[in-house]
C-alpha cells in the first residue's frame, strides 16, 4: 500500500479523516450532549493571558520551532482558533480547531 504524501490513497485517507472530524464536530454541535455523562455541553473558548493581553488559544500546524526573540517562530504556520465545549455536569472539555 502506498501512503506517501501526494499518492491517491493518501489523499483519499486524508479526506476521510477530515470528513470524520467535521462529522464529529457537527454531531457535537447538534446533539449538545456530553459524551461522558450525557450532560449539556456549553460552547466557549480557552483564554490565553499573555503579556500583550487576553487572546483566544490557537492551534498551530507542525512542530514548534524555537525563536530567540519571540519564543516560538510562527512564520509560515497556520493558526486556527480553538473553540471548546464544556459539560455543565461533569466538566469534561472537548476542543475543536475549525478553520473559519
Amino acid at each position: 500500500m502506498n501512503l506517501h504524501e501526494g499518492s491517491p490513497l493518501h489523499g483519499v485517507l486524508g479526506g476521510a479523516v477530515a470528513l470524520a472530524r467535521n462529522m464529529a464536530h457537527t454531531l457535537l454541535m447538534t446533539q449538545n450532549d456530553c459524551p461522558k455523562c450525557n450532560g449539556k455541553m456549553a460552547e466557549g473558548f480557552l483564554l490565553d493571558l499573555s503579556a500583550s493581553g487576553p487572546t483566544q488559544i490557537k492551534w498551530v500546524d507542525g512542530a514548534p520551532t524555537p525563536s530567540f526573540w519571540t519564543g516560538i517562530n510562527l512564520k509560515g504556520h497556520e493558526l486556527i482558533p480553538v473553540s471548546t465545549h464544556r459539560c455543565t455536569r461533569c466538566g469534561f472539555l472537548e476542543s475543536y480547531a475549525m478553520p473559519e
Side-chain angles (χ1 to χ4, degrees), residues 34-52:
C34 175
K36 303 292 183 184
C37 74
N38 292 322
K40 295 297 174 199
M41 298 294 282
E43 185 173 1
F45 64 97
L46 298 175
L47 185 64
D48 179 12
L49 294 174
S50 66
S52 61

Side-chain angles (χ1 to χ4, degrees), residues 14-30:
V17 169
L19 178 61
R21 285 184 186 142
N22 286 337
M23 288 175 63
H25 183 257
T26 301
L27 185 62
L28 179 66
M29 295 301 291
T30 56

Side-chain angles (χ1 to χ4, degrees), residues 30-31 43 46 52 55 58 62 65 75 82-83 88 95 97-98:
T30 56
Q31 282 190 341
E43 185 173 1
L46 298 175
S52 61
T55 60
K58 294 176 181 58
T65 306
K75 185 177 181 181
V82 175
S83 65
T88 59
S95 297
M98 302 296 292

Side-chain angles (χ1 to χ4, degrees), residues 50-51 60 63-75 77:
S50 66
V60 181
T65 306
S67 166
F68 177 78
W69 300 108
T70 62
I72 295 177
N73 182 4
L74 297 175
K75 185 177 181 181
H77 289 277

